[in-house]
Amino acid sequence: MGAKTEKDREAELKESLAAERRKLTLLRSPLRTLRLFVITLVETIKAYTVYCLTHRVSIYVLAPLLLVYLVVNNIEGAHHGFLDEFETYCEMFFWWFGLGVLSSVGLGTGMHTGVLFLFPHILKVCLAAAQCGNTLFESRTDIWFRSDPTTFLCTAADASGTASFGEMFLKVFLPCMMWGAGTAAGEIPPYWISRAAALAGQVDQEYEEMMNSESSNNALKWMKEWMINFLQNHGFWGVFLMAAWPNMAFDLCGICCGHFLMPFWSFFGATFLGKALVKAPSQACVFIMIFTPRYMELVVRTIEQLIPDSMDPCRFVAAKDCHVLLHDLLQNVQSNFTAQVGGETGAAVAKTSFFKAAWGWVMVIFIGYFVVSCIEQFAQQKQKELDDARIEELQLLKAAWGWVMVIFIGYFVVSCIEQFAQQKQKELDDARIEELQLLQGCLG
């Protein structure tokens, strides 16, 4: 076995540093992890603050608008009603958009805010619409953990009326679209990291791990490879189609698109359209159907009419018709979700309290896991930067030492040449002196 080359030793060093970084967790190295996280957090906040404050949009658009808002807000008048509406929509945007970002950021470790916040909001809208007979109630203030008594309060109850599917959909469309836009924005960081690595000619660690990982799940591995080939072949429309449905493997999409140097607006535009305008509204339609009994019954009856009794495959598998199994499944989903967010009343108050408490603990666990994963990822990323800087310093030192050796060797070679030349010149000078002495002897 031959001696290790310089590249082999460098690869071993990188591999050992990567193994050490994977051990950098709150359980194994809490103080070091927290220190690196705080450093990264401060640097990130500082960098983004400087970027936002010095950006042309901030200077020439946002700053004048903010100044106008502050001036108008301090002037009494009927315009305060419009300002209140504007503030409400701003609060809605930051709440739902931020939850969307939290849901998709972190390469699969994000907090599942759709289950925790958006889908319960849709359920509350459906329950309020069924109680009021219309959608003339306030639902925009169901944000920031508020306990506003006017939220979902019927302002014009109509016991004989029923809210249509379109009315309920429009009631939840804005929160769904804002949340979907946030999930699209949460895919940007892995895209930029992978793209920057590709442009710099560096090895993208996330992409290499994704391509070289040995998955025990052959179906998942096949899906991953198929998705990468699909994105390479179809570009914008490939990303759009991947984003337009609840795709478990979409976390890899940003990494792949960045690695293949897809233009940013092509990637983000397709992701935004797929998630904000297709996937999230489609999920809203599904949950409105589940949470509204008459629409759920309509779907079940439609399936019953489409599948003849003699050709019903569920009879051979579960000894029941498919529409019956679907009805039972949707009924269980509806009742369980209603219990989890506290929608049951009357005899089920104790059961509801238990589910609310359990749901609260689930939220705490999700949020805690998300915070811990973010801290560890930030710390490991900072350590990677330090390791890369260390490797670069070693490479510079090796290069500097090489130049020092070159200088020494060059100086040695030059000195040898000069000494040999001087020695030769001395021999010539001695010979000339000897000739002069002989000539003087002959003349004397």
Side-chain angles (χ1 to χ4, degrees):
M1 186 174 180
K4 292 182 180 179
T5 63
E6 191 67 26
K7 289 186 177 180
D8 293 335
R9 286 193 289 269
E10 184 178 338
E12 286 184 358
L13 176 60
K14 289 183 178 181
E15 186 177 350
S16 64
L17 291 175
E20 289 296 324
R21 285 197 302 272
R22 286 191 287 270
K23 297 178 183 178
L24 191 62
T25 62
L26 285 174
L27 290 177
R28 295 181 177 180
S29 304
L31 295 179
R32 184 183 172 195
T33 303
L34 289 174
R35 181 178 65 84
L36 292 173
F37 167 73
V38 171
I39 293 174
T40 305
L41 184 63
V42 172
E43 291 177 351
T44 303
I45 292 175
K46 182 180 178 181
Y48 276 103
T49 301
V50 172
Y51 174 79
C52 292
L53 292 179
T54 56
H55 198 277
R56 288 180 296 178
V57 175
S58 301
I59 297 174
Y60 298 111
V61 178
L62 296 181
L65 289 177
L66 179 61
L67 181 61
V68 170
Y69 170 77
L70 293 175
V71 172
V72 173
N73 195 38
N74 289 308
I75 300 175
E76 296 295 334
H79 61 277
H80 273 274
F82 297 101
L83 290 179
D84 293 339
E85 288 290 310
F86 173 75
E87 292 173 357
T88 299
Y89 281 109
C90 286
E91 290 180 358
M92 278 183 62
F93 173 78
F94 286 114
W95 171 253
W96 293 115
F97 184 85
L99 289 177
V101 172
L102 293 178
S103 181
S104 62
V105 76
L107 296 175
T109 61
M111 184 173 62
H112 300 286
T113 53
V115 177
L116 297 175
F117 298 98
L118 181 63
F119 303 155
H121 174 78
I122 298 174
L123 170 60
K124 294 173 186 176
V125 169
C126 293
L127 294 176
Q131 181 180 1
C132 301
N134 53 55
T135 57
L136 302 178
F137 51 83
E138 182 60 72
S139 63
R140 299 173 301 172
T141 52
D142 184 30
I143 54 178
W144 300 106
F145 303 102
R146 289 179 181 169
S147 299
D148 191 342
T150 62
T151 306
F152 301 112
L153 182 65
C154 299
T155 57
D158 185 3
S160 60
T162 55
S164 67
F165 188 94
E167 290 174 335
M168 287 186 285
F169 176 76
L170 292 177
K171 199 71 173 177
V172 300
F173 175 74
L174 269 181
C176 291
M177 187 189 70
M178 294 173 182
W179 180 81
T183 61
E187 305 293 344
I188 295 177
Y191 166 84
W192 276 121
I193 294 173
S194 184
R195 179 180 174 84
L199 288 174
Q202 299 172 356
V203 176
D204 185 3
Q205 183 179 358
E206 295 288 352
Y207 182 81
E208 292 300 323
E209 289 181 356
M210 177 184 67
M211 295 299 296
N212 299 327
S213 62
E214 295 293 335
S215 176
S216 58
N217 191 332
N218 292 327
L220 185 60
K221 184 178 180 180
W222 174 85
M223 181 180 179
K224 182 198 305 180
E225 294 175 352
W226 176 84
M227 188 188 74
I228 293 173
N229 294 329
F230 186 81
L231 291 174
Q232 282 184 292
N233 294 330
H234 299 282
F236 176 91
W237 293 109
V239 177
F240 171 77
L241 292 175
M242 288 295 168
W245 59 286
N247 184 1
M248 294 185 298
F250 191 80
D251 287 333
L252 310 177
C253 185
I255 298 175
C256 296
C257 293
H259 183 78
F260 301 140
L261 299 180
M262 176 181 285
F264 171 74
W265 287 112
S266 296
F267 166 72
F268 181 71
T271 306
F272 174 82
L273 292 176
K275 285 180 174 288
L277 299 183
V278 178
K279 189 192 83 169
S282 300
Q283 289 175 314
C285 292
V286 172
F287 280 101
I288 290 173
M289 182 269 297
I290 293 176
F291 298 145
T292 308
R294 67 178 186 277
Y295 294 121
M296 183 178 68
E297 296 292 341
L298 178 63
V299 171
V300 172
R301 287 199 303 270
T302 302
I303 293 177
E304 182 181 5
Q305 294 173 358
L306 291 175
I307 303 177
D309 293 340
S310 59
M311 300 177 59
D312 197 328
C314 299
R315 288 187 173 184
F316 303 99
V317 178
K320 286 186 179 181
D321 293 338
C322 286
H323 68 275
V324 176
L325 292 175
L326 179 63
H327 180 274
D328 294 341
L329 174 64
L330 296 178
Q331 194 76 35
N332 290 332
V333 171
Q334 181 189 38
S335 59
N336 291 337
F337 210 92
T338 303
Q340 288 173 348
V341 298
E344 294 182 350
T345 56
V349 172
K351 184 178 179 181
T352 300
S353 300
F354 169 76
F355 276 110
K356 288 181 69 175
W359 189 248
W361 280 108
V362 169
M363 288 182 62
V364 169
I365 293 172
F366 268 113
I367 295 173
Y369 174 73
F370 174 72
V371 171
V372 169
S373 64
C374 282
I375 292 174
E376 292 178 350
Q377 284 187 358
F378 276 118
Q380 291 173 5
Q381 182 63 31
K382 183 62 180 178
Q383 187 61 49
K384 184 178 184 299
E385 294 176 5
L386 297 176
D387 293 341
D388 292 341
R390 178 184 171 187
I391 293 174
E392 187 175 354
E393 288 178 1
L394 291 175
Q395 291 174 344
L396 290 175
L397 287 175
K398 290 178 181 178
W401 180 250
W403 281 107
V404 169
M405 294 298 296
V406 169
I407 293 172
F408 270 112
I409 294 173
Y411 176 75
F412 174 74
V413 171
V414 170
S415 63
C416 288
I417 293 173
E418 292 175 347
Q419 286 183 3
F420 280 116
Q422 292 171 4
Q423 183 66 31
K424 185 62 178 178
Q425 186 62 45
K426 183 177 182 298
E427 293 176 0
L428 295 175
D429 292 342
D430 292 342
R432 182 181 179 186
I433 292 171
E434 187 176 353
E435 289 177 0
L436 290 175
Q437 290 174 348
L438 290 173
L439 183 61
Q440 288 177 357
C442 291
L443 294 175

